[in-house]
Amino acid sequence: VVLKIIKHYQEEGQGNEVVQGVLLGLVVDDRLEITNCFPFPQHTEDDADFDEVQYQMEMMRSLRHVNIDHLHVGWYQSTYYGSFVTRALLDSQFSYQHAIEESVVLIYDPIKTAQGSLSLKAYRLTPKLMEVCKEKDFSPEALKKANIAYENMFEEVPIVIKNSYLINVMLWELEKKSAVADRHELLSLASSNHLGKSLQLLMDRVDEMSQDIVKYNTYLRNVSKQQQQKHQYQQRRQQENIQRQSRGEAPLPEEDINKLFKPPQPPPRLESLLIAGQINTYCQNIKEFNAQNLGKLFMAQALQDNNN
């Protein structure tokens, strides 16, 4: 499954193109076994009649005919410098998890993998966020009531990759036969471009967060302004009623002040949570880059001391 995901990206996802596919498998005891996958085909705007659901159903029907695990257990997606915390991913995972409770999304990071370590993580939406998504109420009050912050939107599921014994033997043979021209290349600090790109993406998201904060502050000012208008209106009505009573006239009828002053709609806060979660992901990537470089420096110094 891992090799199929990597192969899919190498064939169709070069650059910042995102590739996606379906995960197949079965639930065994308290674990989810992912035993097969197949990609979503790339299609353009010209393929307006392409039906993804029908394509998935036909693929799973074909796999069932050849006696291959065909149960739908989630989906996978590649990421570009860790840019996967988006509304599109949240909506897709909610649809999967709502229909199939054990569904997960696998996030494959080809850039980290190219640095020499497989980067593959599995995520699910937390039960709290699932409830909020079902209600479709992302107002500040609803999110506060559910006690949802960017830290508890997604839960990471640990991954264990297992191979058959024959494949392990084959990999052992290939490792013995493979020749690395210069093992010191593994200690190269060639991650400055990746670090710079991560910092640029981080700054972009911080700018988006600032714009979102401006929108929320504008909403608070509008609410405060409306409260003042309500108070002034009530005072005028009260003074007018006092004058009418002094003239022996009946007071003005009661009015629903909320109909006269419709409260401004609060901006949805889900995007802010997603931006905060993405900022946290970028910060984690930068920490990992720095840790890798620090480890390479220590290793290079140890090799140099050993040679001396």
Side-chain angles (χ1 to χ4, degrees):
V1 174
V2 175
L3 292 177
K4 283 184 178 181
I5 295 174
I6 296 174
K7 184 173 181 288
H8 183 198
Y9 175 81
Q10 291 176 345
E11 291 179 348
E12 300 183 4
Q14 297 301 325
N16 59 355
E17 291 291 330
V18 173
V19 300
Q20 297 176 334
V22 175
L23 299 175
L24 305 173
L26 65 161
V27 178
V28 180
D29 297 330
D30 59 346
R31 67 182 184 274
L32 176 67
E33 293 190 359
I34 300 173
T35 57
N36 199 4
C37 68
F38 62 85
F40 288 145
Q42 294 281 11
H43 57 276
T44 61
E45 296 180 355
D46 298 333
D47 304 328
D49 57 344
F50 178 77
D51 190 345
E52 288 189 358
V53 176
Q54 183 65 26
Y55 171 78
Q56 294 181 42
M57 296 300 295
E58 291 179 358
M59 282 293 296
M60 289 187 287
R61 189 180 300 113
S62 300
L63 292 172
R64 183 171 66 249
H65 289 164
V66 293
N67 199 25
I68 295 178
D69 292 335
H70 60 278
L71 297 180
H72 207 158
V73 294
W75 60 298
Y76 68 84
Q77 174 182 304
S78 66
T79 182
Y80 180 67
Y81 285 96
S83 303
F84 65 89
V85 186
T86 62
R87 180 64 182 271
L89 181 134
L90 186 145
D91 292 340
S92 297
Q93 180 57 25
F94 170 74
S95 299
Y96 275 94
Q97 205 164 321
H98 182 65
I100 308 169
E101 185 178 356
E102 60 270 10
S103 294
V104 298
V105 54
L106 286 183
I107 302 297
Y108 166 64
D109 192 331
I111 297 174
K112 285 186 180 180
T113 302
Q115 299 297 311
S117 177
L118 175 65
S119 179
L120 193 68
K121 294 185 178 181
Y123 292 100
R124 287 170 49 84
L125 301 185
T126 59
K128 291 182 179 180
L129 187 58
M130 285 292 295
E131 292 298 325
V132 173
C133 290
K134 289 178 183 177
E135 299 295 333
K136 297 182 180 180
D137 183 7
F138 303 110
S139 62
E141 293 77 12
L143 294 177
K144 183 178 180 180
K145 181 180 179 181
N147 195 24
I148 292 179
Y150 71 89
E151 300 96 333
N152 56 8
M153 295 178 65
F154 298 91
E155 56 182 359
E156 185 175 352
V157 182
I159 296 177
V160 178
I161 300 176
K162 292 187 177 182
N163 290 325
S164 69
Y165 295 116
L166 292 177
I167 292 179
N168 288 333
V169 171
M170 184 188 71
L171 291 175
W172 181 259
E173 292 295 327
L174 290 175
E175 184 178 1
K176 289 195 298 183
K177 293 179 181 179
S178 64
V180 179
D182 186 4
R183 293 184 179 273
H184 293 279
E185 292 180 357
L186 300 176
L187 302 179
S188 173
L189 301 180
S191 61
S192 58
N193 293 334
H194 303 308
L195 183 59
K197 185 63 178 178
S198 296
L199 287 171
Q200 183 61 50
L201 291 170
L202 175 60
M203 289 188 292
D204 293 341
R205 293 299 173 272
V206 171
D207 289 340
E208 292 181 6
M209 177 63 76
S210 299
Q211 295 173 6
D212 201 70
I213 291 174
V214 170
K215 293 179 182 178
Y216 189 67
N217 289 334
T218 302
Y219 159 73
L220 293 178
R221 285 195 298 269
N222 292 336
V223 170
S224 177
K225 183 178 179 180
Q226 190 182 75
Q227 291 295 333
Q228 292 178 358
Q229 292 174 349
K230 285 183 179 180
H231 182 66
Q232 293 172 358
Y233 177 79
Q234 289 174 337
Q235 285 184 333
R236 288 198 302 268
R237 294 273 296 185
Q238 186 177 6
Q239 292 175 359
E240 188 172 354
N241 282 331
I242 293 174
Q243 294 175 359
R244 290 175 68 90
Q245 288 177 359
S246 65
R247 295 193 299 265
E249 299 176 358
L252 295 173
E254 293 290 336
E255 293 182 345
D256 189 356
I257 196 171
N258 291 325
K259 291 183 178 180
L260 296 175
F261 298 92
K262 292 184 178 180
Q265 291 295 325
R269 302 299 292 165
L270 180 60
E271 292 298 330
S272 300
L273 291 179
L274 292 172
I275 293 173
Q278 188 60 73
I279 289 175
N280 182 63
T281 301
Y282 288 144
C283 292
Q284 294 294 331
N285 289 345
I286 293 171
K287 286 174 61 178
E288 290 177 7
F289 277 131
N290 290 336
Q292 289 176 0
N293 284 340
L294 188 61
K296 290 178 180 180
L297 285 173
F298 282 132
M299 184 64 70
Q301 184 63 43
L303 290 174
Q304 184 178 0
D305 293 343
N306 185 47
N307 291 335
N308 292 337

